[in-house]
Every structure is written in C-alpha cells, then in structure tokens.
Amino acid sequence: MSTPVKFLLVDDLAENLLSLEALLRRDDLVLLMAKSGDEALELLLDHDVALALIDVQMPGLNGFELAELMRGNERTRRIPIIFVTAGTHSAERRFQGYEAGAVDFIQKPIEPDVLRSKTDVFFEIYRQRQMIAEQRDLLQAQADALKLSDRRKDEFLAVLAHELRNPLAALRGGLELLQRAPANEQTARIGSLMQEQMAHLFRLVDDLLDASRITQGKIELRNAPFDLREAVLSAVEMARPAIEAQRHTLALNLPDEPVELLADQVRITQCIANLLNNSAKYTPGGGHIAVTLGITSGSCRVTVSDNGLGLTPDASAAIFRMFEQVTDHVQHAHGGLGIGLALVKQLIELHGGNITVTSDGPNRGSAFTLEIPRVGVRTAESMDPSAVPG
C-alpha cells in the first residue's frame, strides 16, 4: 500500500493554517503545519512532501527566503511551491517569487475550488511517482531474483555433474572387473546392459558439465588446423552404435580433397556426433541418415539430415533452448535432458558460427546444418566482456 501524500502548510497565523487544513483535508493526505520558516525547515528534515503552500508575508524568514533555502538543499530543491499572498504584487515581485522556485500564486481570500484544483494536480503527480517507484523496485527485485536463480542453477549443474562423476567412475571400474571375470550368459547380458546405461549416464554428466562451463564462460577452445573430414568420420564412429541399433542406413557425402579448418577439433566432432545421435534417436527404425560436408566462401557447412519425426515451426525455434524437448518426441528421448542441441548451438557460436534446422513438418524428416567460419574463431574469454587479459 502506498504511503500517504504529504503537503506542507506554512503561515504565521494559526487561523490561516486551520482554514487551509479544512479546505484540503482528505483521507489519503497528511497536512504538516508550520507557523514559521524555521519550523518548516525542521519538518522538511523528517518528511518528504509533495507540495509546499507558503505564505509570502511572514515575520523573520519570509516566504521567498524560505523558498530560496529549499532550492539550495538537494533534499528539498524539487518540491513544488505555491505562494499564498494577501495582496497584489507587481510583475517584478512575482518574478522574484518564480525565481525563488514558485510554480504558482494563490490570492487571499482563497477560493476553495481554485485551491483544490491546483493542489490536486500535485497530489496526482506525486501518487504517480510513488507508483512508478514501487513498480521499479518490484521489477528490480524480480530481476535480482532471476539472476540469483540463474546463478544457483549454474552452481547446481556444476556440483551435480562433479558429484555424479565420482560414483559413476567407481561403478564403471567395477563393471569392467565383472566383465573380465568368468560369467554365465545371464550375468554377461546384465553386465552389458549396465555398461550401456553407464555410458549413457557419463554422456549426460559430460553434457551437464559443458553446459555449466559455457554459461560461466569457462570453456576454452583449443584451436588448431585440421581436416574437417576427419572430424566427420570420428563423429560417425562415435554415433555408429546408436545408428546400427536402430538399423538406419547412413550416407556420407564428403569432398575428395581435405577441408582445412582452424577450430577445436574435439568440440566440432562432439557437435557432429550429437546431431548424428539425435537423428538416430528421433528416426523410426530402418530410417535413412545422411551427412554432407560442403564449402562456401569463407565457411564450412556440415549438414545432418534424416527422414525421421520432423519438426513444426514452433518446435524448430524452441529445440535450441536449454532443457527444451518437443512434447511429441519425449518417448524417443530415452532419458535425455534436452541439453544436446543447446550445447551444440553454444559450442558452434563460440567458434563464431551458427546452427540452423529445416523441416517440412511432422514425420517428414529434418536437416541440421552447422556453419563454421574458416577464419575469425572466437574463444569463450573473448566473448566475455568482463574478461581481462592476464
């Protein structure tokens, strides 16, 4: 609830103050009354006021002098002042009043409607400023809460990934020992299944770690020249188990000549493998996947296409957001967290490139294209405006 609006009434005659109070009284308005300029200054030390109604002719500190003192103080200099005067003043006298900070004059005897009309304007202005200030504070509080939530999310991902790796490593070691020992058909099958699930968990943890590192600007690209064809072939080998498990056919369309690229080969391979695993996952068994590598002026393009589930326009725009999954595709996700494509997008953008997707619609396949510049590679540090060379 907004705090009450306050007006300051200054007059050396008590009956004039009572008269002003009677005319201005309302539930949401507090009237502060002072019988001298000195009293008024004391009240202004403790109160924020929306308007000051000041009598011009007062003994000691007169109205103009009080106004000049108010204008000289940072706390009170912006308070609107209306002078209340009993007589007519020359143009020079009025100019003196406006120069002292007046926004208006009211003649005595005071006309109630004129007084209320003029003061209501400043009442509403002050109320609007209060509302704007409250909305600003609310927005700032919400922004701070979002920043805190985002930071805690990043910290949670980092801690979760690190904490998961230790027990997973121990389990993996135990499984390897189990598989080396003599076993019957059932234990061998169980061991193989556990190894497969363990590998899946490791991939999820690695994705979580990479997502956390990128968000915090801690990914460092290790750029070196390499043949992009080698990265494509390595990615195919990484994704081959998933492709063969679904009985997909795979077509490779690679140039005969080397495709030189200055980039982080491990990260580029990771991106292509992620796209291939995605195609294998979201293409019904016995489907077709193709990888095409091409060169344009100044960039390389790797396109992974399939005849799988396809995408709607809305889904095409959403799938690159962290933890975003297409509702109709969830049953094919096999425990994925919706990190893979977001991670690919961030890694490619660190290289100064981009990823796009096209699809003719649901059940009509899709094509993901990585475009990577052959020059102007950026690192995470160069993208972080707060980074300082060490």
Side-chain angles (χ1 to χ4, degrees):
M1 183 177 177
S2 299
T3 56
V5 179
K6 297 176 182 178
F7 284 178
L8 174 64
L9 313 179
V10 188
D11 199 301
D12 61 305
L13 298 177
E15 58 268 26
N16 288 344
L17 291 175
L18 292 172
S19 176
L20 285 171
E21 182 187 26
L23 292 172
L24 295 172
R25 186 184 297 120
R26 52 191 287 183
D27 291 339
D28 47 357
L29 178 63
V30 173
L31 299 170
L32 307 172
M33 293 181 282
K35 293 182 180 179
S36 68
D38 292 331
E39 283 187 23
L41 291 173
E42 288 181 14
L43 287 170
L44 289 170
L45 290 174
D46 298 323
H47 300 277
D48 293 320
V49 302
L51 175 66
L53 287 149
I54 301 175
D55 183 35
V56 174
Q57 300 294 337
M58 292 189 296
L61 201 63
N62 67 38
F64 291 166
E65 291 168 339
L66 172 59
E68 288 172 359
L69 288 173
M70 290 172 62
R71 286 293 171 262
N73 186 289
E74 182 62 32
R75 177 181 169 83
T76 58
R77 66 186 304 172
R78 293 177 181 83
I79 296 174
I81 296 172
I82 295 179
F83 283 127
V84 182
T85 178
T88 58
H89 294 286
S90 64
E92 182 179 349
R93 185 70 167 159
R94 281 184 173 269
F95 178 76
Q96 182 186 357
Y98 287 122
E99 194 174 44
V103 295
D104 206 348
F105 280 81
I106 292 180
Q107 293 288 133
K108 296 178 182 177
I110 295 172
E111 295 183 27
D113 291 340
V114 172
L115 176 68
R116 294 192 190 99
S117 176
K118 290 185 176 183
T119 56
D120 281 350
V121 171
F122 296 100
F123 181 94
E124 293 302 327
I125 290 173
Y126 193 83
R127 266 282 183 254
Q128 290 171 7
R129 285 177 179 169
Q130 281 183 321
M131 291 175 60
I132 291 170
E134 289 169 1
Q135 290 171 351
R136 179 201 61 213
D137 293 343
L138 178 60
L139 288 173
Q140 185 61 52
Q142 291 173 339
D144 291 342
L146 285 172
K147 287 180 182 178
L148 179 61
S149 175
D150 191 53
R151 188 172 75 249
R152 286 180 174 170
K153 179 261 296 179
D154 293 336
E155 292 170 354
F156 167 75
L157 290 178
V159 170
L160 175 65
H162 281 292
E163 290 299 318
L164 282 174
R165 285 187 70 84
N166 293 330
L168 284 175
L171 287 170
R172 172 178 274 183
L175 281 171
E176 289 174 355
L177 289 173
L178 177 65
Q179 288 183 325
R180 291 194 194 119
N184 56 36
E185 182 179 344
Q186 183 180 17
T187 57
R189 181 171 54 82
I190 292 172
S192 176
L193 177 62
M194 290 179 69
Q195 194 72 271
E196 179 184 328
Q197 293 303 310
M198 194 66 60
H200 176 64
L201 280 172
F202 266 99
R203 284 197 299 272
L204 291 180
V205 169
D206 287 339
D207 283 351
L208 281 170
L209 275 173
D210 281 340
S212 176
R213 289 182 187 126
I214 288 177
T215 304
Q216 298 177 53
K218 293 182 178 179
I219 285 283
E220 184 175 341
L221 299 180
R222 296 173 181 172
N223 299 319
F226 66 95
D227 183 355
L228 186 53
R229 297 179 305 171
E230 294 178 4
V232 172
L233 293 174
S234 296
V236 167
E237 290 307 309
M238 292 169 65
R240 190 175 296 282
I243 294 171
E244 291 180 349
Q246 293 292 325
R247 297 171 284 103
H248 298 318
T249 59
L250 176 66
L252 290 178
N253 305 303
L254 307 180
D256 295 329
E257 299 298 322
V259 179
E260 290 286 330
L261 183 65
L262 176 63
D264 187 323
Q265 183 172 354
V266 172
R267 295 301 185 182
I268 296 299
T269 303
Q270 178 185 357
C271 291
I272 300 169
N274 264 352
L275 295 183
L276 283 166
N277 279 315
N278 242 40
S279 285
K281 191 186 299 183
Y282 296 109
T283 299
H288 179 73
I289 299 172
V291 183
T292 302
L293 172 56
I295 305 173
T296 65
S297 58
S299 67
C300 303
R301 284 183 178 173
V302 180
T303 299
V304 177
S305 56
D306 59 58
N307 62 344
L309 298 180
L311 295 162
T312 64
D314 287 343
S316 297
I319 55 175
F320 296 111
R321 294 196 289 266
M322 192 72 74
F323 306 117
E324 189 79 35
Q325 291 182 315
V326 180
T327 304
D328 295 340
H329 297 182
V330 170
Q331 62 181 345
H332 297 269
H334 305 301
L337 298 175
I339 294 176
L341 288 176
L343 188 58
V344 171
K345 180 176 185 292
Q346 291 172 325
L347 287 172
I348 290 300
E349 288 178 350
L350 284 178
H351 283 83
N354 63 75
I355 179 172
T356 56
V357 60
T358 57
S359 176
D360 291 332
N363 301 313
R364 302 187 67 179
S366 56
F368 290 83
T369 299
L370 304 177
E371 184 158 2
I372 313 158
R374 304 182 76 176
V375 293
V377 178
R378 298 176 292 175
T379 65
E381 285 75 17
S382 68
M383 294 183 69
D384 182 4
S386 66
V388 179

